[in-house]
Amino acid sequence: SAVFRYFMRWYLIGVSRFAEYDMRRDFYLHLQRLPATFYARFRVGDILSRGAQDMNAVRMVLGPGLMYPVETVVTTIGCFGFMLAISPKLSLVAFAVMPVVSILMKMLGEKIFRRSEVVQAKMADISAVVQENAAAARLVRAFVQEDAQRQIFGKENEAYAARSMELVAVSAALFPLLLALIGLG
């Protein structure tokens, strides 16, 4: 099992990294071909933040997102077969908790998704502030706005940290809760 798991992780995670590299390269090349009017309509920080976050999400789906469900299905089928052979009644009792686990996964998954979107939007705001200040550095210095811009940047970072902690709180509860429910079964 350990050898099989090692090679599965090495292969799938490696493939997902290569796919991410190709996507980032294609994204960069595409951004270079876009007209200037596109950049007038959308903030550069928002484009870069969303691109980076979305590519990371795709990489996670291609690697761990494929690996863990396949591993879970194979393990579940194998374990369920052995459990049925040992005691069919006890097997059904043990698997009675699975609908609760499924409902919990759906609820927490939706919360994590919504909070991830908020975190992504806050990252875009931070990137936009940095990009705007870099582009207008002379104006910021000419009108002695360094402290005001630092405060704006600090507030954006604090808001990002707060939204990230909300996401972490839900994400951190997921695994222990699942283990407790499955252990209860």
Side-chain angles (χ1 to χ4, degrees):
S1 175
V3 171
F4 175 71
R5 187 173 286 154
Y6 170 78
F7 283 109
M8 181 175 67
R9 287 181 182 188
W10 178 76
Y11 182 74
L12 284 175
I13 292 175
V15 166
S16 70
R17 293 282 183 191
F18 286 121
E20 180 187 27
Y21 173 80
D22 289 342
M23 285 187 308
R24 286 186 189 278
R25 186 191 64 232
D26 293 345
F27 180 65
Y28 176 71
L29 294 173
H30 180 72
L31 288 176
Q32 287 184 321
R33 291 190 299 266
L34 291 173
T37 56
F38 176 81
Y39 294 103
R41 285 185 294 152
F42 300 101
R43 298 183 308 182
V44 174
D46 192 30
I47 296 165
L48 294 177
S49 172
R50 290 184 185 276
Q53 293 285 340
D54 291 348
M55 281 181 245
N56 187 44
V58 169
R59 178 186 56 82
M60 292 300 287
V61 167
L62 288 175
L66 288 176
M67 179 178 59
Y68 292 128
V70 169
E71 183 179 0
T72 301
V73 168
V74 169
T75 303
T76 302
I77 291 170
C79 287
F80 195 61
F82 283 117
M83 289 170 68
L84 282 174
I86 294 169
S87 173
K89 288 180 185 177
L90 187 57
S91 300
L92 292 176
V93 171
F95 275 95
V97 76
M98 288 305 143
V100 176
V101 170
S102 298
I103 291 167
L104 183 68
M105 278 298 296
K106 182 172 177 14
M107 289 172 32
L108 288 177
E110 288 172 354
K111 277 188 176 183
I112 289 171
F113 177 74
R114 285 192 304 271
R115 291 182 184 192
S116 294
E117 284 185 323
V118 171
V119 167
Q120 187 177 29
K122 289 316 269 172
M123 178 55 83
D125 293 343
I126 290 172
S127 298
V129 168
V130 170
Q131 193 266 335
E132 290 164 3
N133 278 313
R138 287 184 179 171
L139 286 173
V140 170
R141 284 192 299 264
F143 289 100
V144 193
Q145 292 298 306
E146 294 95 336
D147 288 336
Q149 291 303 313
R150 270 191 219 102
Q151 287 178 352
I152 291 170
F153 185 69
K155 285 180 184 175
E156 289 296 334
N157 277 304
E158 288 171 9
Y160 173 76
R163 299 297 86 75
S164 294
M165 290 307 293
E166 291 171 3
L167 173 61
V168 167
V170 174
S171 298
L174 180 65
F175 191 67
L177 197 54
L178 287 177
L179 284 179
L181 282 173
I182 292 170
L184 180 67

